[in-house]
Amino acid sequence: MAALKKGKNASATSKPWRSLVLILIATVALTGGMFASGHTTPRLGIDLAGGTSITLAAVPEAGRESAINKTNMDTAVSIMERRVNGLGVSEAEVQTQGTRNIIVNIPKGTNSKQAREQVGTTAKLYFRPVIATELSGGGAAPAPSATGDGSEQGSGGDKATDKATDGSSPSASAGPSASATTQGRAVTDALKADESPSGSPSGKADDEPEASPSAAGGAGGDADSKLQAQYAALDCTKESVRAKAGDGSTATDSIVACGQNSQGQWQKYVLGPAAVDGTDVDEADAVLNTQTGAGWIVTMGFTDKGAEKFADITGQLAQKQSPQNQFAIVLDNEVVSDPYVSQALTGGNAEISGNFNQQSSQELANMLSYGALPLTFREDSVTTVTAALGGEQLRAGLIAGAIGIALVVLYLLVYYRGLSFIAIASLLVSAALTYVIMSLLGPAIGFALNLPAVCGAIVAIGITADSFIVFFERVRDEIREGRTLRPSVERAWPRARRTILVSDFVSFLAAAVLFVVTVGKVQGFAFTLGLTTVLDVVVVFLFTKPLLTLMARRKFFAGGHKWSGLDPKALGAKPPLRRTRRPSAPAMTKEA
């Protein structure tokens, strides 16, 4: 058994190249993935690339502390993302930090004042009657005919049903009727016309009632003409135009707005004054309806006051032709749904069904819920960094890192001499892996290298060098005991390994705790520190130890050259250990 165990250990230690090949393959694979992804440099944070970072703290209504929960915070993040995208900002980040904070990072080139106003104010959700709508760029939007089951059908294919009613109508159909489409064209043509000084529509379809913005609650005269002009000029296919649609309007104004249908096409609208406020929505949920086969639906529940308003507006719209029997659910002046009604919905509850999947139904439910979200957000801090200042900070961080590496290398050369070759090679492997992984984590999880993260990488240089020093000192202790290099390496490794693992575990634990309990940029420091600590273990086990095992077979190191850093005389080694021979047994003589 002893011979078998010895042979097994000898086999394991005689093939250190296996570990070196493994880490080489991993490094090459990661590097290839980096070049294949096209992201060959780490993504820089706001403080290095320039931009604006806004920290918002959630403030609940009095007595409603429980409103600060993951669902509400995620909903707020979703709304703020829509607002930031409305500014035409690319690569902006909106994410929760901790349980109460939202961090909004907006890259350079954005109006920071406008961004602060957009993300810091409470979302505005309204239910507005539709006066006119068409596909942006020309063509009337399809307006499905009304069903008779107390339901509404949006141009995107969504249907809402009042839970309090369950009627039927022989006139129900699944697609748009000719008269509805004609009426839609008549309304939009009327809004474009300017022959009538009063803004009344012209060019209406035969035998169809007239419709105009003023007829649905819009202003008359000059205001009506202005609304027509805005509608005619509105091009919802342009992001910059969509962001400004409805700016400066109030709940009592008629407005123009944009929205996207289920086919991904942009539509433009003329909408009347708000009939129901978002705060009148008591709750909204996405539900999978398996009983009727409707699939994913969105349920809405109104407050008592909201139920009365909703019944009034749906009763009025049910008497009109499409598209004026539709109402638009408008969030921050953007239409997120536009269902139509065929009768008054008086139950205080409604279900919206149609072309929904789980994600789209949840998104609409979140938007409806935000109108009644008992949260406001307080601006805790705003940091604005110019691109020039960010570049200076990056250069300063790189210089500090270079100085740190230079000092460590100088110390290794002076104290460890030949052994410093192994340590420097290990540092280069660790640095390469860190760079490649950071470059890959940018597009993968949105990791951005900020200034605290650079500091974490600099601190990690010392942690990594410390692991090499622990191992080297254990080997030198064995040589001082009078052993040769090869057995010294194998005897020193188990003791050094335990020390390295304990030290790195403490560092990683500190980084993990710091990452969890902190908010904002400090998390970048913690993340980088934790990442480099893990890589330290990988490099020491798969590169440093195997490389030293191979070097121990070379005469320069094994012979204890004075420049190897392992000279027994310089280390004050004891005389070589020798086994004492047992005295030979006395010869047995045979008596004569």
Side-chain angles (χ1 to χ4, degrees), residues 413-414 416-419 556-557 560-567:
L413 288 171
V414 171
Y416 288 107
R417 301 187 180 185
L419 278 179
F556 177 78
F557 289 98
H561 192 280
K562 65 178 182 179
W563 290 105
S564 67
L566 297 170
D567 182 7

Side-chain angles (χ1 to χ4, degrees), residues 450-465:
N450 53 26
L451 193 58
V454 173
C455 294
I458 295 172
V459 171
I461 296 172
I463 295 176
T464 304

Side-chain angles (χ1 to χ4, degrees), residues 152-160 336-337 339-340 352-356 364:
E152 315 151 12
Q153 177 73 31
S155 61
D158 302 335
K159 178 174 69 176
V336 296
S337 185
Y340 77 96
I352 303 177
S353 62
N355 299 324
F356 283 125
L364 179 57

